[in-house]
Amino acid sequence: MFSSFNFNNQKALVRVDFNVPLDDQFNITDDTRMMATIPTIKKILADGGSAILMSHLGRPKDGPTDKYSLKHLVKHLHELLNKDFDGSPSGAGGGGDTKVFFADDCIGEQAAMTAQMLRGGEVLLLENLRFYKEEEKGDKAFAEKLSKLGDVYVNDAFGTAHRAHASTAVIAEFFPKDKKMFGLLMEAEVKSAEKVLHQSEKPFCAIIGGAKVSDKILIIENLLERATDIIIGGGMAYTFLKARGGNIGNSLCEDDRMQTALDILEKAKQKGVSIHLPETSIIADKFAADADTKDCPSDQIPAGWMGLDIGGKAIGIFSEIIKKSKTILWNGPMGVFEMEKFQNGTKSIALAVAESTANGAFSLVGGGDSVAAVNKFNLADKVSYVSTGGGALLEYFEGKELPGIAAIKN
Ligand code: AMP
């Protein structure tokens, strides 16, 4: 719908996710989230429409706070809108300078006046929505005030799609069906997530890693209904290994989740889903970059040692499964990839996913640390899709209906 909509003379009120990290000097240290939504804004401007952008930034507790002001993003937004992605200068509407205005309150007279005066090809960035408690409460009256700023509502903030906030969900009530839609980023995110969860070509392999079992129980349970193989790596694997009677030394373990782990293994057996735990691990005598290390069976880790990465045999087995798969979902690293000594497992799995993708599989990587990992190993463009939505993507794969998606679709 977004691509065929003509925004000429329309004021598009766009919910973006500009929740970017800033350093002490208010420099943006990672602008991925801003970059991701630029094509949506450019399309609106190129049509002859104007864009009114609203976002949250950080977690302000007590109203307006300089540290969380979106004014710190104006300069960079202006730069991004005035250059093509190959770096050559050009206006967002195809030549010329795209003006970016800022309203230091997201509602009220100044915002309304600036929005009203905005001409085709111009952009207005509103101050942090979370300076009002009403935003996170999903307050209707607040959502209605925001809605008055634009003619069309565009949601391009997949990162907050799992929140029923005023600007991400409630606001959609105030627009007719043909005047509310996903932006290009949100469309792509939803399409790739739906493809994996609902139209997966088999074999479908889910790779789940990271630190804690407790964070991933719901996603594993939902995937048991859909995947053919589930690879479990990272710190969470040791709770499963201990529950099966293995010796895991000082490896990460959630003792109170061992029964859950056994239940998951049993359920998988009943459903014919293969769960793969790492047969071997790289173990270390301390959690440190200069630790002594060995490759050893994951269920025979000596006391005082801990598994910090998957071992060579596990890499071989996991890679074979990945290379035979037609659909791949990857969430969470295989080890402590932040330290060079323990990055090999995660890197090898990333390479296997890339190889499988080159051979025609559809691969979706999502969730903070696996995204950081594919970026670290320069493999982001070798997988089918890298999601920008950490928590939102997880909740989607837990089988929950995301309020930001439902508000537009239903
Ligand atoms: P999560 O946020 O749950 O996806 O966990 C990611 C974190 O888990 C990363 O910071 C990894 O360093 C950490 N991690 C992965 N494998 C292990 C392990 N075997 N032991 C301890 N931490 C791990």
Side-chain angles (χ1 to χ4, degrees):
M1 178 168 178
F2 180 85
S3 301
S4 58
F5 193 91
N6 187 349
F7 286 92
N8 191 26
N9 287 324
Q10 298 281 307
K11 293 185 197 304
L13 182 60
V14 192
R15 177 52 159 102
V16 291
D17 180 3
F18 280 180
N19 185 28
V20 290
L22 300 174
D23 67 14
D24 294 349
Q25 309 298 312
F26 303 115
N27 298 305
I28 299 161
T29 53
D30 179 355
D31 69 351
T32 311
R33 288 181 175 147
M34 292 178 80
M35 288 279 288
T37 201
I38 294 295
T40 296
I41 303 168
K42 284 198 172 190
K43 143 81 178 159
I44 293 165
L45 305 182
D47 276 1
S50 53
I52 300 153
L53 310 180
M54 49 182 179
S55 178
H56 73 286
L57 175 64
R59 294 169 183 261
K61 290 274 167 281
D62 304 305
T65 322
D66 186 64
K67 185 177 159 195
Y68 297 117
S69 174
L70 280 159
K71 72 181 179 199
H72 304 303
L73 275 59
V74 172
K75 186 165 162 276
H76 191 61
L77 175 63
H78 182 259
E79 281 166 16
L80 287 178
L81 286 170
N82 285 289
K83 72 173 184 194
D84 283 338
F85 287 111
D86 64 3
S88 60
S90 89
D97 181 46
T98 298
K99 286 205 178 82
V100 179
F101 298 94
F102 181 71
D104 56 18
D105 188 350
C106 62
I107 52 172
E109 213 168 298
Q110 190 214 354
M113 291 255 292
T114 320
Q116 207 165 43
M117 281 162 45
L118 217 55
R119 290 182 303 189
E122 293 178 342
V123 174
L124 166 63
L125 176 64
L126 302 175
E127 183 55 289
N128 196 339
L129 294 160
R130 291 197 189 166
F131 286 171
Y132 287 88
K133 291 205 176 1
E134 288 87 340
E135 162 65 358
E136 288 182 85
K137 284 186 182 149
D139 184 86
K140 256 192 172 186
F142 177 69
E144 186 173 16
K145 281 181 199 159
L146 288 171
S147 75
K148 300 263 187 263
L149 297 172
D151 309 310
V152 188
Y153 170 64
V154 177
N155 189 352
D156 215 22
F158 185 66
T160 46
H162 55 319
R163 309 280 183 220
H165 293 170
S167 70
T168 59
V170 182
I171 192 170
E173 288 175 29
F174 300 98
F175 291 86
K177 190 134 193 62
D178 60 341
K179 291 280 171 93
K180 53 183 163 190
M181 60 196 83
F182 298 143
L184 292 171
L185 170 65
M186 185 88 163
E187 241 172 34
E189 293 273 4
V190 173
K191 206 169 132 196
S192 63
E194 279 180 350
K195 192 172 160 104
V196 170
L197 201 60
H198 299 298
Q199 301 134 29
S200 62
E201 216 184 306
K202 304 286 186 302
F204 168 15
C205 163
I207 310 161
I208 309 292
K212 286 168 140 190
V213 180
S214 45
D215 292 343
K216 311 277 164 95
I217 291 169
L218 294 175
I219 189 169
I220 295 176
E221 284 191 337
N222 194 35
L223 288 168
L224 284 175
E225 307 294 329
R226 298 163 202 280
T228 32
D229 297 272
I230 301 179
I231 288 174
I232 296 180
M236 59 185 283
Y238 299 99
T239 300
F240 284 84
L241 289 157
K242 184 172 175 188
R244 275 199 334 199
N247 294 321
I248 60 162
N250 284 9
S251 307
L252 216 58
C253 184
E254 288 168 275
D255 286 332
D256 58 339
R257 297 294 175 175
M258 287 206 293
Q259 189 53 49
T260 312
L262 289 175
D263 293 346
I264 288 173
L265 293 172
E266 181 55 34
K267 221 189 252 178
K269 210 187 271 171
Q270 284 166 16
K271 293 194 177 291
V273 179
S274 306
I275 293 201
H276 309 273
L277 297 168
E279 279 200 23
T280 54
S281 293
I282 301 297
I283 59 168
D285 61 350
K286 58 182 174 183
F287 190 91
D290 63 348
D292 277 339
T293 62
K294 300 192 251 202
D295 194 332
C296 99
S298 300
D299 56 358
Q300 294 168 37
I301 300 176
W305 290 69
M306 63 192 90
L308 294 185
D309 195 6
I310 55 173
K313 191 168 176 199
I315 290 175
I317 296 170
F318 289 179
S319 299
E320 281 312 305
I321 297 161
I322 292 165
K323 286 178 199 167
K324 283 191 198 131
S325 300
K326 290 268 168 267
T327 306
I328 301 161
L329 169 70
W330 183 15
N331 172 275
M334 296 289 101
V336 185
F337 74 103
E338 297 92 335
M339 287 191 233
E340 209 175 323
K341 250 189 180 155
F342 310 110
Q343 70 170 22
N344 189 43
T346 303
K347 188 175 181 178
S348 306
I349 291 315
L351 285 166
V353 174
E355 191 178 325
S356 195
T357 310
N359 290 328
F362 184 83
S363 55
L364 168 59
V365 182
D369 277 319
S370 26
V371 173
V374 291
N375 285 331
K376 179 169 177 172
F377 306 128
N378 290 320
L379 291 167
D381 60 353
K382 301 269 191 302
V383 298
S384 309
Y385 196 78
V386 179
S387 175
T388 58
L393 191 81
L394 273 185
E395 288 200 17
Y396 183 89
F397 280 102
E398 285 171 359
K400 293 181 187 150
E401 183 176 60
L402 306 190
I405 296 180
I408 301 262
K409 278 201 164 174
N410 303 341

